[in-house]
Amino acid sequence: LEEFEADHIPGALYFNEESWDSGLFALMEAWLGQPRPIVIYCGSAGCGTSKRIAEQLRQSLPEAEIYTLKGGWDAWQK
């Protein structure tokens, strides 16, 4: 959370597997207000969390376009 608060992609929401229900609620609220593709990313390319979260979200929001950012935050900064 500290890393996210320090810097993140503009418009990004913090999503944590340990707080799945509250994160899903916030994401659904934002997505329903303005449907658009959802991109999940981690802090680095070696993190597998974004792929797990994306898979779970695809089950919870089957009508949404859900992607993972290849290379994570590191790739975005470059």
Side-chain angles (χ1 to χ4, degrees), residues 5 12 26 30 38 42 49 62 64 68 73:
E5 289 176 349
I38 297 168
C42 284
T49 304
T68 56
W73 174 247

Side-chain angles (χ1 to χ4, degrees), residues 17-55:
E17 287 179 294
E18 295 165 9
S19 312
W20 181 262
D21 291 339
S22 61
L24 181 59
F25 180 77
L27 179 64
M28 287 178 71
E29 187 173 53
W31 184 77
L32 289 171
Q34 186 177 4
R36 56 188 171 195
I38 297 168
V39 179
I40 309 296
Y41 69 95
C42 284
S44 67
C47 175
T49 304
S50 60
K51 291 179 182 178
R52 285 193 312 272
I53 288 176
E55 282 301 315

Side-chain angles (χ1 to χ4, degrees), residues 20 38 50-68:
W20 181 262
I38 297 168
S50 60
K51 291 179 182 178
R52 285 193 312 272
I53 288 176
E55 282 301 315
Q56 291 175 324
L57 287 175
R58 287 182 186 113
Q59 293 174 14
S60 299
L61 296 169
E63 60 280 346
E65 290 181 67
I66 300 171
Y67 305 97
T68 56

